[in-house]
Each structure stands twice: as C-alpha cells, then as structure tokens.
Amino acid sequence: MTLTAKSVARAGLVSTIVAATAAAALFAATPANGAASTLAAAAQQSGRYFGTAVAANKLGDSTYVGILNREFDMVTAENEMKMDATEPNQNQFSYGNADRIVNHARNQGKRVRGHALAWHSQQPGWMQNMSGTALRNAMLNHITQVATYYRGKIYAWDVVNEAFADGSSGGRRDSNLQRTGNDWIEAAFRAARAADPNAKLCYNDYNTDNWSHAKTQGVYRMVQDFKSRGVPIDCVGFQAHFNSGNPVPSNYHTTLGNFAALGVDVQITELDIEGSGSSQAQQYQGVTQACLSVARCTGITVWGIRDSDSWRASGTPLLFDGSGNKKAAYNSVLNVLNSGTGTTTPPTSTTTTTSNPGGGGCTATYSEGEKWNDRFNGNVTVTGTDNWTVTVTVSSPQRIIATWNTSATWPSANVMVARPNGNGNTFGFTVQHGGNWSWPSLSCQAG
Ligand code: 9MR
C-alpha cells in the first residue's frame, strides 16, 4: 500500500470530518444524521454559503419570502444596486430598494453580495453620454459613494462586471468605460478598497467557465497581473448562465482551481441552467461538485428563486418551480452539498509509487489520469512479475465505473481486484468521485 497515496487520502478525510463537526456545532439546522435539509445549512457544512438573487418588488410575496428565508444565507440584489438604480442623477444617490433587500437579508442573518459597482450596462442616462476624464471621475465617485454607504454590510462586491469581450480575442470589451483607459478596472478596485477595506472585491463575468475559452484566459491573465502588481482583488465571480448552447463545461473544476491557485477566492455568482428533469439536475450536480472540489470556491448563488422569478423564465432554469416546489435540480444540489466530501482540491502531483507491504514480489505504481468535475482516471503500472493481483480500494462516496486492460472482480462495492487480461502490466480505471478526490489505495501480490 502506498504511503503517499494513503496519507493524502487520510488528510482529505480528516479535513472533511473537522469541517463537518465544526458545522454541526455551529448550525442547528443540521439534523442528527448529518444531512442538512436546506441549501444554506448543507453548504455551511463545508464552510460555504448558498445564495440567491432577490428582487425588491417580490419581498411582499409570502411564498417567495418563505423560500428565501428558509433556504438561502447569501443575497444579491438582482438590479437594485446597479449604477442606474443607485445614482439615477449625477451625485444624487438613491438607496431605497437596495436598502429593502440589504435590511431584509441582515435582519434574517444573511450576508449580502454587492452587485455591481462599475459596468458598461445599466448605466444611468447621464453616464451613458460621458467620456474621458469626466466619466472616469464619475465612475470613481460612484464607487466611493456606494461602497462607503454600504461599508461593513457587504461580504463581497462585484466591483467590475463583464469587462471582457466574447469570442476569440481574449481582450477587453469596448465600452465608454474601457475608452477612459485600460487601467479603469484597477482604478475601480483601488477606489472600492479605499471605501470598504473589509469587503472582498471581485471581478465578475459570464462565459468564463470553460478553461479553454479565450475569454476565460483573458480574465485569468488580468487577475494574474493584478495579483503580481498588488492591485487589490480578492475574488473572481463566475456568473454561470448555462443552456444547451452554452453547457456546463467538463473542465469547470479546472477553471475554478486554476483561478483559485492565483490566490483569489472563486464564487459562482449567478447560476441558472435552462432545462428540466434529470438532465438539468445532473448539470446542477456537476456545478456544485466543481465548487466543492476547490477549497477556495466559497459559495454558490443562483440567479433567482422560482422559475417564474428568472430573467429567462421560459427556460425554467432555477431550483424551484413556479409554485415554489423543489425540483429534481434542488435535490441534486442538496445531496451533493450534504455529501460533505468535496473540501479537498484535486491533488497536484502526478505520480506516486506503491509498494506491497507484505513483500508480495511486485510493485504497483499509481498515476493520475484525466480529471473531470464528476470523475477522474487512474493508471496502475505493475513491476516485478507478469502474474499479478492488485487490490484497488476507493473511499466513499467514490465508485469505480470503468476499467481497461484488466480483468476485474469486485469483493465489495469499493474494492476491485485486478488481474492481467493479456494487455500487459498497465491497467486503468475511472472513478466517479462524488467530490472526494482522494487517491485510491493499492496493494500488489505476485501469483
Ligand atoms: O436578472 C437581471 C434582469 O432582471 C435585468 O433586466 C438585466 C439587465 O441587464 O440584468 C439581469 O441580471 C444580469 C446581471 O446583472 C449580470 N449578469 C447577467 C444577468 C442576466 O442578464
């Protein structure tokens, strides 16, 4: 059995147990059997939040408010904190609807994500017609005023929203703000930091989920540059608006992990997935697993409560139907959050050597293969004999779902005994990991 593989597996298990124990002590909503019954309580088990966008004009709808109060512990104003809402006339600030949402959230013990301080869209009319230094100063003044007004009440601000271009350029989107100079984004972040030093400052965008997309790479390079030059950025928001033309990418955990490795938190900020039934539920499951697999993915926000509340209601993209009933997608998200096993990041090293403790005349070496948000591949190479028996043990909730170059038997659900099948001394398998990225443990026996 490999020492390295085993210690990694143990470290993952220990951190999961610690997180679950701490959460159980803190949050009474966790029933004795460990499975939480709301999205917020389930997310809290791994120290994460589960949020929703809220519209001020729905705070009188008792079904809506009932679900909001019960299920979510983070709130984003869907439109009420945008530039056109908070500064309708230059230097005249208007916080009535935003305050309704912030006060409701805080009275209910929920936190608030601020959305959004600077954006090319939803600018008030007076700003749309500005340019140059006057616009730059108006933007900075807006950020200073709004972030100061809400100082101490905001967990994270989307300081700049949607500043990168779609398509293959990987560059900035043209806008009146961009035309004030390429440094407008860092100027915005510095102004936000000065106004509210304790809020996390995020860059937020859409179509940045697939690691191989040029837009994702463009944002990554900007964050890397900001971190290297000390521009104050703490987090990156991935809006995650998915549909059949823009499906959940299989490399989502790679994207989130690579951004997190730059030293920022990552958050899924506006999640919705058009569709229905089990296909929609599976995609929600994949997104949740991707977040759980990255330690610095601090939470998920869905972009509305019921399908009928959505900005694209006809696509039924949310977790509750128009009557407020839980959908299959709701159950899949809750189950993944309750699996509580996703607090480890994928291991970064690629190989480890496994020796047989019983001196069974052979050595099995495990090496990582491809990783996806729901599964990973592993390969094992055997030396010392051509007539081997390798026992592969995976840990719950992992399951081996495919094998190659071996003939396998299954003494139990999580134990596979592999023998040669005429294809040499390297075999492989696919593990459905359920958020648990621990390596399997191996032992090798000659004969
Ligand atoms: O959901 C919001 C919708 O009510 C507004 O009409 C729209 C106007 O731009 O903005 C929607 O929210 C957007 C968010 O602020 C930024 N990312 C895309 C969201 C969906 O369009």
Side-chain angles (χ1 to χ4, degrees):
M1 194 174 289
T2 165
L3 291 176
T4 312
K6 198 172 171 188
S7 61
V8 167
R10 279 192 178 147
L13 192 60
V14 167
S15 65
T16 303
I17 291 167
V18 168
T21 309
L26 278 172
F27 302 105
T30 306
N33 67 7
S37 59
T38 68
L39 298 167
Q44 286 164 8
Q45 293 173 105
S46 65
R48 293 180 171 84
Y49 64 81
F50 207 98
T52 182
V54 167
N57 64 9
K58 294 192 172 141
L59 287 174
D61 175 332
S62 60
T63 305
Y64 182 90
V65 172
I67 301 172
L68 166 62
N69 291 353
R70 187 186 74 220
E71 296 285 345
F72 300 99
D73 60 357
M74 185 72 74
V75 163
T76 306
E78 185 171 1
N79 289 297
E80 294 78 352
M81 285 189 175
K82 293 173 181 175
M83 300 175 102
D84 59 350
T86 50
E87 195 179 356
N89 300 300
Q90 189 165 15
N91 256 321
Q92 282 182 5
F93 291 86
S94 165
Y95 296 114
N97 284 330
D99 280 350
R100 251 163 240 135
I101 293 173
V102 171
N103 292 339
H104 182 93
R106 288 167 58 80
N107 288 340
Q108 290 284 325
K110 306 178 193 309
R111 292 183 290 173
V112 177
R113 291 192 83 264
H115 173 80
L117 290 171
W119 189 16
H120 69 275
S121 182
Q122 281 186 276
Q123 292 180 0
W126 61 267
M127 185 180 269
Q128 292 173 26
N129 299 322
M130 290 179 89
S131 62
T133 307
L135 174 60
R136 172 69 68 94
N137 289 337
M139 175 195 82
L140 295 175
N141 181 55
H142 178 86
I143 291 171
T144 301
Q145 295 295 326
V146 177
T148 300
Y149 179 82
Y150 283 111
R151 177 161 51 207
K153 296 182 173 175
I154 303 295
Y155 161 72
W157 266 113
D158 291 332
V159 177
V160 170
N161 197 34
E162 301 177 2
F164 276 72
D166 293 311
S168 58
S169 79
R172 299 282 182 87
R173 170 197 298 278
D174 179 48
S175 73
N176 60 348
L177 290 170
Q178 180 62 29
R179 289 192 290 272
T180 70
N182 206 50
D183 64 343
W184 75 276
I185 298 182
E186 59 197 85
F189 274 84
R190 292 188 203 283
R193 178 69 98 225
D196 188 351
N198 293 322
K200 288 182 184 285
L201 305 182
C202 300
Y203 176 77
N204 190 52
D205 214 328
Y206 66 90
N207 283 355
T208 48
D209 312 283
N210 191 320
W211 179 241
S212 63
H213 281 181
K215 189 171 174 181
T216 310
Q217 295 291 316
V219 175
Y220 178 84
R221 282 191 298 272
M222 179 187 74
V223 176
Q224 190 174 41
D225 171 52
F226 281 11
K227 291 301 285 184
S228 74
R229 290 190 295 113
V231 177
I233 184 168
D234 307 304
C235 39
V236 176
F238 297 81
Q239 294 185 9
H241 294 295
F242 296 114
N243 55 32
S244 54
N246 177 37
V248 179
S250 61
N251 60 20
Y252 207 6
H253 62 289
T254 303
T255 305
L256 299 177
N258 285 345
F259 273 87
L262 292 175
V264 288
D265 289 348
V266 294
Q267 299 165 2
I268 292 172
T269 52
E270 304 181 15
L271 177 62
D272 52 21
I273 308 176
E274 289 188 327
S276 61
S278 60
S279 138
Q280 182 182 49
Q282 265 178 6
Q283 294 180 74
Y284 264 102
Q285 175 181 323
V287 172
T288 311
Q289 283 176 335
C291 179
L292 290 185
S293 74
V294 175
R296 291 196 74 161
C297 182
T298 56
I300 298 175
T301 294
V302 287
W303 205 239
I305 296 179
R306 300 161 301 196
D307 284 335
S308 49
D309 302 316
S310 169
W311 65 296
R312 45 185 201 184
S314 63
T316 61
L318 294 173
L319 300 177
F320 295 87
D321 69 19
S323 307
N325 301 309
K326 296 170 181 174
K327 295 166 59 181
Y330 172 96
N331 292 321
S332 72
V333 170
L334 186 70
N335 288 342
V336 175
L337 293 172
N338 269 327
S339 73
T341 49
T343 52
T344 53
T345 43
T348 48
S349 52
T350 52
T351 60
T352 185
T353 300
T354 296
S355 312
N356 177 30
C362 56
T363 300
T365 303
Y366 177 76
S367 75
E368 291 184 330
E370 280 186 283
K371 300 172 192 170
W372 297 270
N373 57 10
D374 60 339
R375 63 199 194 283
F376 61 80
N377 284 348
N379 290 291
V380 177
T381 300
V382 182
T383 54
T385 178
D386 291 336
N387 185 15
W388 40 266
T389 301
V390 175
T391 303
V392 180
T393 305
V394 297
S395 43
S396 174
Q398 295 175 336
R399 288 281 175 274
I400 296 176
I401 57 171
T403 65
W404 52 93
N405 294 341
T406 183
S407 137
T409 55
W410 303 90
S412 72
N414 64 331
V415 178
M416 173 177 82
V417 174
R419 294 192 174 83
N421 73 346
N423 282 313
N425 293 334
T426 295
F427 67 96
F429 49 88
T430 300
V431 177
Q432 185 171 44
H433 56 65
N436 179 354
W437 291 90
S438 304
W439 285 327
S441 59
L442 311 176
S443 70
C444 189
Q445 203 70 39

